[in-house]
Every structure is written in C-alpha cells, then in structure tokens.
Amino acid sequence: ETGVTQTPRHLVMGMTNKKSLKCEQHLGHNAMYWYKQSAKKPLELMFVYNFKEQTENNSVPSRFSPECPNSSHLFLHLHTLQPEDSALYLCASTETRGGSDTQYFGPGTRLTVL
Amino acid sequence: GDSVTQMEGPVTLSEEAFLTINCTYTATGYPSLFWYVQYPGEGLQLLLKATKADDKGSNKGFEATYRKETTSFHLEKGSVQVSDSAVYFCALSYNNDMRFGAGTRLTVKP
C-alpha cells in the first residue's frame, strides 16, 4: 500500500463520545500534520510532528489530543466535541531531511458532531 | 508573515475553454510554490510545483510559472475538461512552513 491513508473515512459522533482518527503514511517520511478543513474557511493547520516530536500546536482546543507513536502513524483523539468541530480532517506527511517541502495528503475523515 | 492570495471563485467554464486561476504570494524568503487540487470527497493532491524563480511546473495539461518579479504563480490550462471540476489551492512553503490559499472552485460544464 502506498501514500497516506486515513481511517475512518466518515465518522458521526455525539458531543459526549470519545473517538480517534488514524493516519498512516507509507512514504518513509519523518513529519506528519493534522489539518482541519471547514466549509468556506481556509485550511487550518492543527498539529505538526517531526520525528515523533510535536513541533507545532496552533492553539487547538484541548478536546483534540494528538498522538504520534512513530514516524508512520498519527492519531487524533477526540472527546466532548462541539457541533462546530464538524469538518474534514486531513492528515499529511512530508520528508524534511534533504530539503523537500512537498506535503502528501490522505483522503480525509469527514467528521459530523451531533 | 508569509501568505497566499488566490482569486475567489467559483469559476464556471465550458468544456475546452481556457483556464486561468490567479495566485500571488507574500514571503520574506524564497519559498517553493505549489498548486494542489481537491476532487469531491477526497483530500488534496499535488498538481504541480516550482522551487525557484522562472521555474515552470506542469502536469496533466496544467502549467504555472514562478514569477519573482510579480510574486505570482498563476495556474493555466489551455482546454479544460469536465473532469477538471474541483477545488484548486495555491500554496507556498518555506522552511517546512506551508501556507495555503482559500481555494478556488472550478466547475466545467459540457
């Protein structure tokens, strides 16, 4: 399998649920990202991990909790979300060693919070 | 900070029409420039990129030239198809900090 995969592709959850989004990259990259894409808003960078270390957290509410156990896997743990958190959540990866700056995206998880 | 501005959509064209989507950028350094495309229900896919001034990126009939003098990276295609209907994002990256434009929705009608 190649590229960046995300599961699940669709998720519906209530405000009191706890769920997790999973991202896996098969490209041998060392950096991974979570983005939020809401309707009619620009793409929002949420978290950046480089060599499993979090290097950026763009003032994301604590109800979103990322986890990066290794360079190939990235999770986004969700709890007590709000309806306004409904969006497409995109994972991306890149190889920062050697100066490459192209990000490769997964297909996204469409999240609906009821 | 670094930023990207692209033309607002939506853009609606007939099949075989010429496409231009304007993109300008603001950067303190010398960024790489990208166009990504997002088809319905999918993530962003890299369409083309250019890493230095006067470079031309091209793919699937799309082209964009890195113009340092006008800080622009306009996307063009000579003859669009219905299958090109998607949202197009201009982006820049410098020191692994990527910034995206707001996206331009293109609809191509038969």
Side-chain angles (χ1 to χ4, degrees):
Chain A
E1 192 171 6
T2 60
V4 182
T5 58
Q6 290 186 242
T7 54
R9 292 294 308 274
H10 301 272
L11 178 62
V12 179
M13 59 187 289
M15 291 167 56
T16 58
N17 291 158
K18 290 185 180 181
K19 296 287 184 183
S20 296
L21 310 185
K22 178 182 176 182
C23 174
E24 184 172 0
Q25 59 96 359
H26 310 271
L27 300 169
H29 292 167
N30 65 293
M32 298 184 76
Y33 307 76
W34 278 118
Y35 288 90
K36 177 183 178 182
Q37 187 178 33
S38 304
K40 299 183 180 179
K41 292 178 70 174
L43 210 59
E44 300 174 51
L45 177 64
M46 300 175 70
F47 300 104
V48 181
Y49 277 82
N50 198 322
F51 290 104
K52 304 185 296 178
E53 298 296 321
Q54 188 179 127
T55 58
E56 190 158 344
N57 174 340
N58 272 355
S59 303
V60 179
S62 60
R63 57 186 184 269
F64 295 92
S65 174
E67 178 190 1
C68 188
N70 55 61
S71 294
S72 298
H73 295 85
L74 184 64
F75 295 89
L76 188 62
H77 303 299
L78 316 171
H79 63 98
T80 59
L81 294 191
Q82 305 299 310
E84 60 265 28
D85 297 322
S86 298
L88 182 68
Y89 288 84
L90 293 166
C91 175
S93 72
T94 192
E95 176 55 54
T96 62
R97 297 166 291 192
S100 173
D101 47 15
T102 303
Q103 292 187 17
Y104 295 86
F105 285 80
T109 295
R110 173 69 62 186
L111 173 67
T112 303
V113 181
L114 302 177
Chain B
D2 294 359
S3 65
V4 172
T5 303
Q6 62 182 103
M7 65 185 285
E8 290 188 25
V11 174
T12 302
L13 296 173
S14 297
E15 206 164 22
E16 299 183 2
F18 185 86
L19 169 71
T20 300
I21 301 178
N22 290 337
C23 172
T24 57
Y25 67 91
T26 302
T28 52
Y30 299 95
S32 295
L33 302 175
F34 303 81
W35 278 101
Y36 281 86
V37 59
Q38 186 176 32
Y39 298 103
E42 298 184 15
L44 276 67
Q45 300 176 25
L46 177 66
L47 181 59
L48 53 85
K49 66 180 281 190
T51 57
K52 61 183 187 297
D54 300 324
D55 268 3
K56 178 187 284 188
S58 61
N59 186 25
K60 300 181 181 179
F62 290 90
E63 294 184 339
T65 301
Y66 191 141
R67 301 286 188 199
K68 184 165 174 277
E69 63 276 13
T70 54
T71 62
S72 65
F73 193 55
H74 304 320
L75 182 68
E76 297 182 337
K77 186 174 185 181
S79 176
V80 293
Q81 305 300 311
V82 172
S83 57
D84 294 326
S85 298
V87 181
Y88 292 81
F89 293 89
C90 186
L92 66 78
S93 180
Y94 185 67
N95 284 341
N96 294 303
D97 182 7
M98 183 165 272
R99 306 294 174 96
F100 289 88
T104 302
R105 181 175 299 279
L106 169 67
T107 301
V108 180
K109 298 190 172 180

